[in-house]
Structures are given as C-alpha cells and as structure tokens.
Amino acid sequence: MFLQQLVNGITIGSLYSLVALGLTMVYGIMRVLDIANAGAYVLGAYLGVWGYTHTHSLPVALLAGVIGAALVGYLFQRLIYTPVNRPDDPIVPLIASIGLFIVMEDLFRLIAGPWTLTFPARLPFQRLALGGVIVTGSQLTILATAAVLFLLLWLVLNKTKIGLGWQATAQDTETSMAMGINTRAVLAFAFGMGYAFSAIAGILVAVHHNAVFPTMGDIPSYKMLAIVVLGGLGNPLGAILASMLIGLLEAFVGGYVGSSIPTDALAFMALIVILLVRPQGLFTSGGAAK
Amino acid sequence: MPPFLEVQNLQVSYGRARVVRGVSLEVAAGECVALVGANGAGKTSIIRSIMGLTPATGGRVLINGADVTGAPPWKRASAGIGYMPEGRRIFSNLNVERNLLVGAYQVRDQTRVRTSLERIYGIFPRLRERQSQFGSTLSGGEQQMLAIGRALMSDPRLLIIDEVSMGLAPVLVSQAFQLITRLHVEGLTILLVEQNAKKALQVAERGYLLESGRVVLSGTASDLSGHPDFVGTYFGRTCTTGAE
C-alpha cells in the first residue's frame, strides 16, 4: 500500500510539476501569474488527440501539442501580456490571463464540442508489477516523460545561453538588458517553454484518463497557483518539489483516508499552513522568489 | 572620425520632473572622460539614458556615429559598451563565473569567452578563488571586482563606470581607481561617473561638471579641477558660469 501510493504520488507530482514549471518560469521573468497557462494544458490535449487521430503516433501527438501551445504562448506574451504588463500593477495582467483562459475554454467548447473525446493511445510502456506494486503503462509514460523533461530543463537552464539569460533576467531585468541580453527573446522562450510543458502535461493526463474535455484545465488553473506559491514564486526547483509534495499528499490522503477529505483541497490547505509559517514559500533559494 | 560616444542635447524626465536638461558630451576612442557632479545632479540618469534603460525625452545618443536613441539596451551593449551600474547590481543567485558569463552574453565564440574569463581572473585573482560562490556571499570589494570584471567580459570598446567608489572603504577606492588607470593605459576608452570628483579627475583626461541636470563646466581634467566654479561647487559656493 505504501509503495503503491508512493508511485501514485510521484506520478501525480510529475504532472503537476510540468504545469507548475511553466507558470513559475513565466512568473520568474515577468511577475505575471498566468492562469491562461492552464489553457495550454487543454490545448495540448486537444492538439494531441488531433495529432494522434491522424498519425496514431504518440510522439507526433506530443509534437503537435508542444508546437501549438508554444506558439500560442508566444503570441499571448507579445500581443497581450507585454502591452498590459506594468511593474507597479500586477492585477491587470492577472485579469487578462483569467479572461484568456475563459476565452480558450469557450473556444475549445465551440470548436471541439462540449463532450468528452477519447484518447486511446498506444503507450511505449507495458504495465509493470513489482511485488505488490503496480505501475501502469500510462504512469510509466508520465514518469519517463517528466524525467526527460526535468533533465532537459536543467540542461537548458544551466548549460545554455538562453538558460543563463533566463536566470539573469528573472533576477534583474534591467541589468540583464544592459549586459546585452535580449530580454524579449528570453521572455518569448519562457512563455514558449512554459506553454509547451503544460501542453505535454495535458496530453499525458488525457492519455492516462483516456479523456479530453473543454473544462479539464479548471482544477489545474487554481491548484497550480497554490503549488507555485508553495515552491517559492519564480523558482523552478521549488515548483518541482512543491508539486511532488502535493502529489504525494494527495495520493497518501486519498489512499489511507479515502474521500472524506477532498484531495483537490489539499494543495490549498498546505498553502494556508505555509503562508502562516513561511510566507516566502518552502523553497526560495536558487530562483527569483519575490 | 566621429567620437565613439556622442550625446547631443539629451533630455530626461521622470514624469513632470526634468532631471537632464539638454546635456551634450562626447567621448573619443582612447579617452578617459569623467562626468562629475553632486548627488542628484543627473549623472546616473544620463548614463541610464545612454544605455537605453531610461528613455530620452529629447536629444540623441550616437555610438560610433550611429544613432541608437531608440535602440534597446542589448543593441547598445552589442555596439561595444561595457557597463558597470551604480550599486554594482551583481546577480546574487548566480555564482561568480556565471555572473561573468552574463557579461559575455553576446559573444558567440566560446574560445573568446574562455580567454576573457582567464583575463578577468588574471586581473582579479580573488574572483578565481571565489568562482563557484554565489554573488550574494561576496564582500563589497569583491562584488565591485565582479561588477567591473563582468563589464569587461565582452571586451568592450567603451567602459562606462557608474560610481565605482560607492560604498567602498578608502583603500578599496584607491585600488579601484588604480585599476581604472591601468585599463585606460592599456587603451580602453572609459566614461567615469563619479561623486568623488577629485579622484575621478586624477584619472580622467577630460571632464564634465553637472549641476541640476546641466553641464556647467567642461574641459581638461587639470583645467576643471583648478576652476573656481568647480571648487565652488564642491566647497559650497554657488556656480555662476554657463557651459563652456
């Protein structure tokens, strides 16, 4: 039971991480809480279904989701967030992001219909039984994909020029510009990568539950806020650790306590406790937590 | 040949407050020029406007003859300007080496980046010892070294130094000015912005004295430091002469 819940918790945490990373990377550089990032999660799922229906290839489905969501992220940043963003007034972009998310949900409903689509993808992994622990093919796919993406993100942030640009800009945009960093390009990278990560999470969840529907981004849209605040806003490592913490909490509470405590509320309960004892977030080093 | 940096009738305002009122100055290749004035005279606003961090409300900034008044800061940096901002502003959550690498962000040739890194470590051996330490753990003097080193990483044609002496102990101030002299002797063009006018004019060849957002005196360093208005400004007498 314990090991099973551990696997379940890490799987849920991995999915949360992918969405939370996008949100925290955008916040780190623009100080905008981008609710519409959850729209990329749904967009990814729809584009994934569309790509899979046409090719029966999960990599192609992932690619369709990544490209489409990254493009939307870039356009939102250039056309909406950059024009409305003011350092002294974070409410305007926050309201804009809520509006964008609502518009996206309604567009999904109008274009794809209000019903649930199935996503019966062939998975690269088979169900694995280790002693009493069962790891499904979709769980293995989620864990493997998340591991690859975490490694990729670490490499990008620590071994590439654009990653250095992101870290510098997240700390001090003005000085970064004066040092020759094209902060517009860094911003586009953060939005593109953030939306792409969310899209991948959306596809993986859609495959895991074999379901895609217009409102599937509702719970991630607010739960991710709790997670990124827990992890320390703008801190990618903090976002991953907080996601894992919430994923494990949900799995263990769901497994041992049952449905008497709603698992979707756990992130907020944890948030309230953390805000009382450590308002700067659990993990504030290594990022631009502000 | 045009001067490397030319500022023509620059005006800068913050809201309704005009802080720079028609400043013109130039720095020729190979020169060391000091921009001096009391606190609030507009020195940093001029530099920020030259770097593109504060938009000019009037006038022009030319680098090597090209008008960059509307260009973003990174384009100005790529035109060959190294910048040490007021207050150092090192990246506290990056280690020393990555702070330095930010300074070479626009350099594509990795061999050149390694060479610059070695050169900076040669100038500041202390930074080599601290290369994996986060910027936040450095002392004020070490942070100053890092800020200058970062500005030199791109091998700039013009180095702009804003208040190098700020917050440093007198012995470190002397060391900083010795370094600036050394860099200038090696051929680097320098625009030095300082409240410590006496020190700045010992290093510079020419200078501009600012007061209330205007250039009230300009000339060679020796002319400036002996000028009665310069002495008056720094020792309490009201300046009466217009720009020369």
Side-chain angles (χ1 to χ4, degrees):
Chain A
M1 177 78 164
F2 177 83
L3 287 176
Q4 184 64 61
Q5 296 311 331
L6 191 67
V7 170
N8 294 345
I10 293 172
T11 309
I12 298 168
S14 300
L15 286 169
Y16 289 170
S17 299
L18 293 178
V19 187
L21 276 171
L23 203 60
T24 212
M25 283 190 71
V26 165
Y27 184 86
I29 206 159
M30 209 181 196
R31 305 289 183 258
V32 168
L33 276 171
D34 179 22
I35 308 292
N37 188 280
Y41 170 89
V42 190
L43 176 68
Y46 274 109
L47 289 174
V49 165
W50 176 80
Y52 192 81
T53 308
H54 286 82
T55 63
H56 297 286
S57 160
L58 191 57
V60 172
L62 286 166
L63 199 64
V66 163
I67 292 171
L71 188 65
V72 166
Y74 172 74
L75 291 174
F76 280 2
Q77 175 260 316
R78 285 307 296 270
L79 303 177
I80 312 281
Y81 290 119
T82 298
V84 303
N85 194 31
R86 297 282 177 278
D88 55 341
D89 193 1
I91 298 299
V92 176
L94 177 66
I95 291 170
S97 77
I98 294 169
L100 282 172
F101 180 54
I102 293 169
V103 168
M104 286 175 90
E105 273 199 342
D106 280 334
L107 281 176
F108 297 137
R109 206 186 324 268
L110 286 169
I111 295 167
W115 44 81
T116 299
L117 305 180
T118 57
F119 197 156
R122 261 177 80 105
L123 296 167
F125 299 101
Q126 299 297 313
R127 180 171 177 268
L128 199 67
L130 293 167
V133 181
I134 292 165
V135 191
T136 65
S138 64
Q139 280 183 316
L140 281 170
T141 308
I142 290 167
L143 292 170
T145 310
V148 169
L149 290 175
F150 293 161
L151 181 66
L152 180 73
L153 182 68
W154 183 86
L155 286 172
V156 168
L157 288 182
N158 292 292
K159 302 289 174 192
T160 68
K161 206 158 240 196
I162 194 84
L164 179 64
W166 181 85
Q167 289 188 28
T169 308
Q171 259 185 63
D172 186 342
T173 305
E174 259 195 2
T175 305
S176 300
M177 288 194 287
M179 294 300 122
I181 296 175
N182 181 342
T183 51
R184 267 186 225 149
V186 173
L187 200 55
F189 154 77
F191 266 88
M193 190 144 181
Y195 274 52
F197 271 40
S198 276
I200 292 171
I203 293 169
L204 293 174
V205 168
V207 170
H208 185 61
H209 294 300
N210 193 20
V212 180
F213 50 96
T215 56
M216 65 185 277
D218 284 358
I219 291 173
S221 71
Y222 57 79
K223 199 183 279 184
M224 288 315 123
L225 289 181
I227 287 174
V228 296
V229 174
L230 274 177
L233 285 160
N235 179 356
L237 181 62
I240 294 174
L241 294 174
S243 299
M244 290 298 172
L245 186 72
I246 297 301
L248 288 168
L249 198 62
E250 287 184 3
F252 279 103
V253 169
Y256 284 99
V257 182
S259 58
S260 54
I261 297 178
T263 52
D264 284 335
L266 287 171
F268 290 92
M269 291 179 192
L271 179 66
I272 291 165
V273 173
I274 295 304
L275 286 178
L276 286 172
V277 297
R278 197 176 156 81
Q280 71 271 37
L282 280 176
F283 316 101
T284 46
S285 63
K290 275 184 187 168
Chain B
M1 204 170 97
F4 182 75
L5 173 70
E6 196 174 355
V7 175
Q8 297 174 346
N9 194 29
L10 184 72
Q11 292 164 50
V12 179
S13 300
Y14 296 109
R16 295 170 75 176
R18 289 176 63 203
V19 291
V20 178
R21 301 155 182 254
V23 165
S24 295
L25 59 87
E26 54 184 61
V27 183
E31 264 194 317
C32 180
V33 174
L35 187 60
V36 298
N39 196 14
K43 305 182 298 293
T44 295
S45 296
I46 292 171
I47 297 308
R48 286 178 56 82
S49 198
I50 290 172
M51 289 308 299
L53 298 171
T54 299
T57 47
R60 297 202 305 164
V61 176
L62 295 97
I63 298 175
N64 225 3
D67 190 344
V68 296
T69 314
W74 54 88
K75 292 223 166 127
R76 303 180 194 216
S78 70
I81 299 184
Y83 172 53
M84 197 210 88
E86 184 184 18
R88 304 184 278 269
R89 296 182 68 164
I90 62 159
F91 299 102
S92 55
N93 286 356
L94 294 180
N95 68 25
V96 166
E97 185 146 318
R98 284 175 73 74
N99 261 283
L100 291 172
L101 291 176
V102 170
Y105 196 81
Q106 296 219 348
V107 183
R108 284 163 194 262
D109 180 356
Q110 285 309 299
T111 313
R112 224 183 105 198
V113 173
R114 295 310 307 177
T115 308
S116 290
L117 207 53
E118 284 306 312
R119 181 170 155 253
I120 301 306
Y121 285 151
I123 298 171
F124 305 110
R126 182 68 67 86
L127 293 184
R128 190 195 295 276
E129 292 166 22
R130 303 269 189 268
Q131 61 181 288
S132 53
Q133 273 185 231
F134 282 109
S136 56
T137 66
L138 303 180
S139 69
E142 288 166 345
Q143 288 190 6
Q144 195 69 285
M145 291 176 202
L146 182 55
I148 296 174
R150 184 180 63 183
L152 291 171
M153 275 297 289
S154 61
D155 203 7
R157 293 183 61 191
L158 167 68
L159 177 63
I160 298 179
I161 303 177
D162 195 354
E163 303 284 6
V164 74
S165 63
M166 185 190 262
L168 290 185
V171 64
L172 293 174
V173 173
S174 295
Q175 285 175 10
F177 278 101
Q178 279 170 18
L179 174 70
I180 292 166
T181 308
R182 179 181 151 192
L183 292 170
H184 178 49
V185 168
E186 287 172 4
L188 188 60
T189 308
I190 296 173
L191 175 58
L192 189 57
V193 181
E194 259 300 322
Q195 262 192 75
N196 190 338
K198 196 175 160 195
K199 281 268 186 198
L201 291 175
Q202 282 170 1
V203 175
E205 289 139 354
R206 287 195 305 115
Y208 295 87
L209 174 64
L210 277 177
E211 202 176 86
S212 303
R214 288 194 179 92
V215 174
V216 291
L217 270 179
S218 64
T220 63
S222 55
D223 286 352
L224 220 58
S225 37
H227 198 285
D229 283 343
F230 174 80
V231 176
T233 299
Y234 274 86
F235 295 97
R237 190 164 60 78
T238 307
C239 183
T240 52
T241 312
E244 289 180 5

